[in-house]
Amino acid sequence: MKLLRVGQVGAERPALLDDSGVLRDLAGVVPDVDGALLADDAALGRVRDAASAPGELPALEADGLRTGPPLAGIGKVVCIGLNYHDHARETGGAIPGEPILFMKAPDTVVGPYDTVLVPRGSEKTDWEVELAVVIGRTARYLSSDEEALAAVAGYAVSNDVSERAFQLERGGQWDKGKNCETFNPLGPWLVTADEAGDPQALGLRLWVNGELRQDGTTAEQIFPVAEVVRYLSQFMTLRPGDVINTGTPAGVAMGFPEPKPYLRAGDVVELEIDGLGRQRQELGAA
């Protein structure tokens, strides 16, 4: 299923994109797309039944209707750094022996077409197309890849926007360059795991002002999705509605020769992942 949320900020309603591409209203079936829904097999069953008979769901006029993040009430956003072989090569980083972890605040998450704000004082705002994993079952101390994948509700497109000077040149941890407002567009859809297919066989692409900058595949991940989920569960409890950004392939601005093409207000970023939809953001000034 392709689940999404549409409407103005703070007033989004749950929706479903049916197999014919028609946007359907789910507000009469479930109150929202959130961790509570993903953890409730009966509620998910009602959504699946509705998806199998989409004509019974009211159609929504998509023109002019904002698409919000496909998930409400996100508990935490956990991110994996330097998780693609080609990205490690372009940045000169050593292949990590264990996943590199950092966190983004849930309030960095915005819709897939919302404006991304270049922070005040920024000179090195960068892009990162990433596969986002959405957790659907409580996961703690998992012991196998099978258990890890069973805890995954679905997948989405994520743009892990980063300010590299804040991240790497201002001391302390990476968080300063990762948690600026609007720095995590998510969506357009939450695609359930059964429809998304093999998470290690997905193409990822990103364009800046129409120029292809990233063209990679999740097959390049150093730590695949199952290993990431299993590993994280040894250090924290993953709960329904948590999101994991699993890293980015080569092609970020930081990896280019000087002068590096960092983002400025007015730039347009577009990104997509096979089967998970496409995003578009225009950069503005904070």
Side-chain angles (χ1 to χ4, degrees):
M1 296 184 294
K2 294 182 175 71
L3 304 176
L4 64 162
R5 300 169 64 250
V6 295
Q8 295 304 307
V9 176
E12 296 94 343
R13 62 194 296 119
L16 177 147
L17 191 70
D18 72 20
D19 290 340
S20 61
V22 176
L23 188 63
R24 301 286 181 178
D25 192 352
L26 279 179
V29 181
V30 292
D32 212 339
V33 180
D34 55 13
L37 169 64
L38 301 179
D40 186 338
D41 288 340
L44 279 175
R46 293 195 299 273
V47 175
R48 291 187 187 283
D49 290 344
S52 66
E56 299 180 6
L57 295 173
L60 291 169
E61 178 54 57
D63 289 346
L65 186 61
R66 172 182 174 269
T67 301
L71 186 67
I74 296 170
K76 55 183 172 287
V77 181
V78 188
C79 305
I80 309 299
L82 212 65
N83 194 32
Y84 280 71
H85 290 280
D86 55 1
H87 179 49
R89 288 193 295 270
E90 76 171 345
T91 60
I95 300 298
E98 296 188 36
I100 297 170
L101 309 184
F102 63 93
M103 307 285 281
K104 295 189 100 158
D107 65 7
T108 62
V109 175
V110 295
Y113 314 117
D114 289 346
T115 300
V116 167
L117 298 175
V118 176
R120 296 179 186 180
S122 168
E123 296 182 353
K124 297 182 179 181
T125 294
D126 207 345
W127 59 81
E128 296 189 23
V129 59
E130 305 206 4
L131 174 66
V133 175
V134 180
I135 298 297
R137 299 182 185 178
T138 299
R140 52 195 302 274
Y141 299 113
L142 301 178
S143 60
S144 69
D145 289 354
E146 291 74 20
E147 287 182 319
L149 291 177
V152 174
Y155 302 92
V157 181
S158 182
N159 187 358
D160 175 21
V161 187
S162 309
E163 211 299 338
R164 302 301 189 186
F166 296 178
Q167 176 188 352
L168 301 171
E169 300 171 19
R170 299 293 296 272
Q173 298 181 338
W174 286 8
D175 290 4
K176 285 183 286 190
K178 295 287 188 174
N179 281 278
C180 305
E181 61 181 326
T182 73
F183 262 28
N184 203 141
L186 187 69
W189 315 316
L190 191 170
V191 180
T192 51
D194 59 326
E195 183 169 329
D198 182 357
Q200 304 313 137
L202 300 174
L204 310 86
R205 291 163 292 277
L206 182 144
W207 296 259
V208 179
N209 299 326
E211 184 172 354
L212 183 65
R213 293 299 198 184
Q214 290 184 277
D215 187 4
T217 169
T218 55
E220 275 281 309
Q221 287 185 340
I222 297 166
F223 304 103
V225 167
E227 171 61 13
V228 164
V229 175
R230 188 206 63 77
Y231 180 87
L232 289 176
S233 77
Q234 312 305 309
F235 300 93
M236 63 188 77
T237 301
L238 299 173
R239 304 187 187 280
D242 286 349
V243 174
I244 305 169
N245 288 340
T246 57
T248 198
V252 299
M254 182 174 63
F256 278 73
E258 297 291 351
K260 300 179 188 296
Y262 288 114
L263 296 168
R264 300 287 184 265
D267 287 342
V268 174
V269 176
E270 298 171 274
L271 53 153
E272 66 182 15
I273 298 178
D274 293 345
L276 303 185
R278 187 178 179 97
Q279 298 185 1
R280 181 185 188 278
Q281 298 107 35
E282 184 170 344
L283 278 290

